[in-house]
Amino acid sequence: MSVLDEILVGVAEDLETRMAATSLDDLKQQASRQPPALDPMPAFRSDGVSVIAEVKRSSPSEGKLATIKDPAALAADYAAGGAAAISVLTEERRFGGTLADLRAVRGTVDVPLLRKDFITTSYQLWEARAAGADMALLIVAALEQIALESLIERARSIGLTPLVEVNDEAEVHRAVDAGANLIGVNARNLKTLEVDRGTFDRLAPLIPDTAVKVAASGVRGPRDVIDYAKSGANVVLVGETLVRGDDPRATVADLVAAGAHPALQHRW
């Protein structure tokens, strides 16, 4: 059993518990009380490279990364540093996150929020929207093609922008065939946890220019932002570098400044 398979087993068990406690109808009522979802795409399609900053306590590969007692305060620092969007991990067993983190962040910042989790059902999409998310992560490796297509359509129907994650050539083709227009290339293989920093370089040319290309994993500083941009990235998603640093606001600001470099303008 791969690492991804193990994670999905735990996610399914935790999902059953939440579904027993909160009905789908209740979630839809909660979602209806949320303000309209924010659209991240105009910022992502603007000149330069946008930054998605991530609230992340731990990971299967690195273990505990940071003690984040106040995710809302961290998110506020990210927003103040110029992050175009904020990603919030809500998977508890391996990443130490919860939907409560997402709700806390939503109550503090006014930039688009991504629910980053292992979403395999429409119930989880409704959870995301009810908690204030504007985007939802869909991992191609975790989904059959019919499910991927269905979840992309359902996400959009309830106001969420789907960020579709890929890690190899076949997954890129599946994402494109499913109609994804926001595609994230994860340098980390979730089945083995190995990182290949050349993954984005290899896969970006396969993604249509009409889609927004997100480089996820492997951003250690401004130089990496520029390198990813030269390979075609419109957006970078940064987590570990930020939560391990002493000054997340300044670190985000440095990454945003790198993404705004004059040489990276007018790429659409």
Side-chain angles (χ1 to χ4, degrees):
M1 181 179 288
S2 71
V3 176
L4 177 59
D5 290 333
E6 292 175 357
I7 292 173
L8 289 172
V9 169
V11 166
E13 292 174 355
D14 293 341
L15 176 59
E16 285 186 11
T17 300
R18 296 197 306 275
M19 291 178 69
T22 305
S23 72
L24 180 58
D25 286 342
D26 285 344
L27 277 183
K28 291 181 177 181
Q29 285 295 321
Q30 294 173 30
S32 71
R33 294 193 289 271
Q34 288 287 342
L38 301 173
D39 183 0
M41 297 300 272
F44 290 171
R45 292 185 184 278
S46 64
D47 286 346
V49 178
S50 298
V51 174
I52 302 175
E54 191 159 82
V55 177
K56 183 178 184 179
R57 291 188 176 88
S58 62
S59 74
S61 59
E62 301 292 334
K64 185 175 181 180
L65 300 172
T67 300
I68 302 174
K69 295 181 179 179
D70 190 345
L74 178 60
D77 282 339
Y78 289 164
I86 294 171
S87 169
V88 182
L89 262 299
T90 61
E91 196 280 331
E92 186 168 3
R93 299 191 184 197
R94 298 296 189 98
F95 293 89
T98 67
L99 283 162
D101 292 341
L102 181 57
R103 288 189 288 268
V105 171
R106 175 76 290 160
T108 303
V109 302
D110 58 4
V111 299
L113 300 185
L114 167 69
R115 181 189 183 184
K116 194 172 183 185
D117 208 319
F118 297 81
I119 294 174
T120 59
T121 68
S122 59
Y123 183 93
Q124 291 160 287
L125 294 175
W126 283 106
E127 281 184 320
R129 191 69 199 99
D134 309 288
M135 297 179 281
L137 181 70
L138 298 175
I139 301 172
V140 172
L143 298 165
E144 297 293 336
Q145 189 66 11
I146 292 176
L148 175 64
E149 294 172 2
S150 176
L151 289 172
I152 288 175
E153 181 178 352
R154 179 56 59 89
R156 290 171 175 160
S157 74
I158 65 177
L160 293 166
T161 298
L163 169 56
V164 180
E165 180 180 299
V166 301
N167 179 255
D168 63 27
E169 290 83 351
E171 290 176 6
V172 172
H173 293 307
R174 288 183 56 200
V176 173
D177 289 346
N181 62 357
L182 177 60
I183 299 177
V185 176
N186 193 347
R188 187 181 302 280
N189 184 321
L190 292 176
K191 296 178 181 178
T192 64
L193 299 185
E194 294 178 356
V195 174
D196 177 0
R197 293 181 55 78
T199 302
F200 187 87
D201 288 346
R202 187 172 68 253
L203 300 186
L206 304 178
I207 301 173
D209 290 337
T210 52
V212 170
K213 304 173 186 180
V214 182
S217 295
V219 176
R220 298 159 298 187
R223 181 74 253 173
D224 292 320
V225 174
I226 293 173
D227 287 345
Y228 272 137
K230 289 179 178 178
S231 297
N234 309 108
V235 184
V236 293
L237 190 153
V238 191
E240 294 179 15
T241 295
L242 298 178
V243 299
R244 283 177 159 167
D246 296 327
D247 191 342
R249 176 175 177 174
T251 304
V252 170
D254 288 344
L255 298 176
V256 170
H261 191 281
L264 306 181
Q265 307 304 300
H266 309 298
R267 295 187 304 126
W268 279 97

